[in-house]
Structure formats: C-alpha cells, structure tokens
Amino acid sequence: RGAVGGKWPRAWREHDLGSSYDAVIIGGGVHGLATAYYLARDHGMRNVAVLDKAYIGSGGSGRNTAILRSNYLTPEGVRFYDRSVKLYEHLAADLNYNVMFSQRGHLTLAHNDASLRTMHWRTEVNKLQGVDSSVIDPDEIKKLVPYLDTSPGTRYPILGALYHPPGGIVRHDAVVWGYARGADAHGVHIHQQTEVTGIDVSHGRVTGVQTNRGRIATPVVLNATAGWATLISDMAGVSMPVQTFPLQAAVTEPVRPFLDTVVVSGTLHVYVSQTDRGELVFGASVDPFASYSMRGSLEFTEGIAGHVLELMPALHRMKLLRQWAGLCDMTPDYSPIMGPTPVEGFYVDVGWGTYGFKAGPVSGEAMAATLATGKPPEIIAAFGLDRFADGRLVGEKGAAAVGH
Ligand code: PYC
C-alpha cells in the first residue's frame, strides 16, 4: 500500500467496538499484535480484536532498548529465542515493512571468574542448540569495540566476553506498526483507548470482557499485557506469581557511528548500543523495588553515566537527551508464563521480565497456535503456569542482560 495522490493511507483503521469477537487480545504491544497477525494469517481467525488502554506500542514495546539475541542459558530458552531471531530475520519481507534489523553482534562482558564460567556454560548450551556463540578474549573484544577500555588496571577488568554474532538491534516502533498494519490487512480490529475493566467468567469459562466502551462477548481472551499482567489476570480470578519492577533507559545526542556491536556488562549493570541515527542507547537492570512508576530517577542517570564511563572513558562529553522507564513483570525463574490457565478460554502471555520485546514474533506465532487449537505448541510447552505448582522451573536468571 503506497501513497495515493500524495496522501499515505492509514496503516491500520479505526472501527466501532464489535459486540462479539472470536478472540479478544488484551494489550496492543508486539506480543498482542503479533498474535493477532499470525492468528489471522496462519489460522484463518480474523474476527479478532486487540484492545489497548492507551495507544499501540505505548507499553514495553515502545520502552525497551530494542536488543535481539538468543544466547540464553537453558535449552528451552535458547530454542525459543532462536526461533524469534529467525522470524525477525525475515520480518521486513514478511510484513513488507522495514523493521531495520541490524545483526551487528552482541557482546556480554565478563569481569570475574564466575561470569566467565557462566559465559562458557551459555556458549556450550547455545552450540548444542545450533546457536552461534563463543567466548572471546580481551584482544578480540578490543578489535570489535576499539573504544572499550580493556586494560587490566580498571576497577572491573574485562577478562573475556560471550560473543553472539546473530544478536543485534531493530527499530522497535516499526515492529509494532508492521504487525499492526499486517493484522489490520487481514481483518483484525485494533481498538486503542479501550481499557479492560473486567473479565466475565461463568462456570469456569470466559464469556466476555468489560471495557470503558462497552461489553464484548467472546469465548477466548488472551492477556498479553506487561506491567498490568497481574491486574488483568486477577479480573479472571487467576493469580500470577509475578512482581512488577521499573526498568530505566536513556538515550544520548547523536554522534558519528563508532559502535557497531551491542555491549552488555552484567557487573556494571549497563548495556550500550548505537542506533542508525547515531544516538547511544543505555539501559540498566530493574530498579531495586517493586513499583508501577514510569518516571526516570537521578540515581539511575548518575549510575549509568559512571558505569558507561568505566567501560568507554572517551564518552565523557556525550550529552544525555532523555530517559524513561518501562515496567517488567518478573517471575520466580525469569522465564515467561505462556499458555492456558485454570479458567477455560483465558490464556496468558505474560511475565516477560526484561526479555519481552525480543520474544514478540515467536510468542505471537506460538500463542496464535495455542488460541486456535487450545493446545500450546512444543516450543512453549516448558513455560506453562502449572510449572510453579509442579516445581519444573526454567531458570533463566543467568542469561539476563544485566544483574537483577
Ligand atoms: O535481555 O537482552 C536483554 C535485555 C536488554 C535490555 C533488557 N534486557
């Protein structure tokens, strides 16, 4: 769809709220929109609504630092995120929308023997799953990122790194808009400014959702929210083992390209990448207390500036342009919760911690299959809610970009 007479057509349309849909997806982020897209495209379910209480991509999908990777710690995690990277590789062609995926490589620095051991562990698990990762030494790191201070005299000397060539960055808004446009083209209704105020359950099964614009009858509801995952699930009477923490990030003024690798330091609680526009994007670990606040703090700015300068002292004159926060729903094992719940027809795709954006495509594909068939596909079988009762946890803390 191109410009006609100098006017660009709307990428997605507005609709009156339907009184019933075959499925209602709560949350217009990359997970909800991708699920709607694959539901319509792969399963022929088009009478579907995506609801967002604000505008699409206004939550975690527009607040993350756009890093993609699959160098996780557990075989289940590696397989899952590898499928997401593969879907991202073809997403621009698939959606006919430039999502600007730059596979520039991803470095996780090790500053002590314990981290180096975990990097070796992740490398071996990655290789067994066919994912390209290796541990490299400071000289190889310096060749990839000349601005890094790899000298042995620093407070936390760099001993090595987990190098993951398929990792990189993508234009996060474009991913949201591309999925929205694709879902709309298949007939999905996207309703912004539509807040869910209740979920109707009768005799153990979902019958509809209440919104600020009226009631919708539906037999299938997906909770694809972040930040509000527990509040929405509570409406259906399903409690989630999730705690919500803010995660802050910041961006600098643009400068000439000098950094074409993503750099992460768990010890220094920081990750850095440079966008195609030249800005540096910085992120930290989650704030140390549970909260729904999305305000930036001076503590974060001071901390991140100090830590970035320990890694790249030459950046001391860079100016920060803005900072923001997003909400991260943390589970006890740092893996997501995906699949059915004890309420028939009520499904969840929640608990993404700090990993949610990068999982958008694979989650959409897998949740679409789950909603269409009622059965989670093998790729998400390990992430069910029942694992907390059965004690089958999928411990992914060691693969967090930074310490939590
Ligand atoms: O897991 O790659 C990651 C990540 C980046 C920012 C937050 N988490």
Side-chain angles (χ1 to χ4, degrees):
R1 290 185 280 180
V4 181
K7 286 204 174 139
W8 287 93
R10 292 185 70 107
W12 56 90
R13 291 160 289 182
E14 283 177 10
H15 302 273
D16 291 336
L17 195 71
S19 58
S20 73
Y21 290 97
D22 294 339
V24 169
I25 296 170
I26 307 172
V30 62
H31 285 245
L33 291 164
T35 303
Y37 171 73
Y38 294 116
L39 255 185
R41 192 196 74 174
D42 298 348
H43 304 277
M45 267 178 84
R46 292 159 197 267
N47 183 27
V48 170
V50 179
L51 313 182
D52 198 289
K53 73 172 184 167
Y55 57 92
I56 61 169
S58 54
S61 296
R63 292 165 184 274
N64 63 85
T65 43
I67 296 171
L68 306 184
R69 63 185 177 97
S70 58
N71 57 357
Y72 281 70
L73 181 63
T74 66
E76 296 87 348
V78 176
R79 283 197 290 271
F80 177 75
Y81 289 97
D82 183 44
R83 174 69 188 153
S84 215
V85 168
K86 297 243 160 63
L87 288 167
Y88 269 119
E89 283 170 353
H90 299 285
L91 201 58
D94 200 5
L95 298 173
N96 188 22
Y97 204 93
N98 187 1
V99 296
M100 297 166 70
F101 183 16
S102 162
Q103 281 186 292
R104 52 184 55 196
H106 182 285
L107 278 175
T108 314
L109 305 175
H111 302 267
N112 53 49
D113 289 342
S115 316
L116 208 48
R117 176 181 166 276
T118 309
M119 300 311 159
H120 281 290
W121 179 1
R122 281 167 68 181
T123 298
E124 296 311 316
V125 177
N126 287 193
K127 283 186 186 155
L128 279 173
Q129 300 302 325
V131 166
D132 187 2
S133 290
S134 57
V135 174
I136 61 173
D137 66 26
D139 290 341
E140 293 167 285
I141 298 170
K142 188 77 179 170
K143 279 194 203 124
L144 287 169
V145 189
Y147 279 81
L148 264 185
D149 185 356
T150 52
S151 62
T154 56
R155 185 164 66 125
Y156 295 113
I158 296 170
L159 304 184
L162 173 63
Y163 179 44
H164 177 54
I169 54 172
V170 70
R171 177 80 171 86
H172 55 357
D173 292 326
V175 176
V176 170
W177 298 333
Y179 272 123
R181 178 175 175 266
D184 174 273
H186 283 291
V188 169
H189 284 192
I190 297 170
H191 296 293
Q192 305 184 90
Q193 305 289 330
T194 306
E195 181 168 0
V196 171
T197 53
I199 297 178
D200 299 336
V201 176
S202 174
H203 302 293
R205 80 169 338 285
V206 158
T207 56
V209 298
Q210 308 281 347
T211 80
N212 59 342
R213 294 172 59 200
R215 180 179 190 271
I216 304 169
T218 183
V220 174
V221 173
L222 172 64
N223 177 3
T225 61
W228 291 270
T230 50
L231 305 179
I232 295 289
S233 288
D234 285 350
M235 291 179 189
V238 176
S239 69
M240 291 281 141
V242 162
Q243 272 192 303
T244 302
F245 293 79
L247 189 155
Q248 300 189 47
V251 70
T252 66
E253 61 188 340
V255 291
R256 273 196 203 164
F258 70 93
L259 179 64
D260 58 4
T261 313
V262 180
V263 179
V264 179
S265 166
T267 302
L268 288 169
H269 300 276
V270 66
Y271 32 94
V272 187
S273 65
Q274 187 171 26
T275 69
D276 294 327
R277 267 202 300 238
E279 303 150 331
L280 293 183
V281 181
F282 303 141
S285 47
V286 293
D287 284 353
F289 42 81
S291 161
Y292 290 112
S293 163
M294 284 196 266
R295 292 177 65 107
S297 69
L298 182 60
E299 268 170 324
F300 161 80
T301 325
E302 285 178 342
I304 205 114
H307 292 154
V308 167
L309 293 185
E310 284 193 61
L311 290 178
M312 299 189 206
L315 302 187
H316 66 281
R317 290 175 61 191
M318 295 279 296
K319 294 189 180 69
L320 275 192
L321 279 191
R322 58 182 187 278
Q323 68 185 104
W324 66 94
L327 298 179
C328 297
D329 289 334
M330 312 302 293
T331 61
D333 61 358
Y334 297 80
S335 285
I337 310 176
M338 303 178 77
T341 68
V343 172
E344 208 182 320
F346 181 65
Y347 297 88
V348 290
D349 172 17
V350 301
W352 284 100
T354 61
Y355 306 143
F357 175 73
K358 54 182 67 49
V362 65
S363 302
E365 188 183 57
M367 289 315 302
T370 308
L371 265 52
T373 64
K375 192 173 170 331
E378 181 54 34
I379 195 151
I380 60 166
F383 303 136
L385 176 62
D386 48 6
R387 76 178 185 274
F388 297 104
D390 300 347
R392 288 177 287 104
L393 302 191
V394 189
E396 253 336 328
K397 187 172 183 183
V402 291
H404 293 311

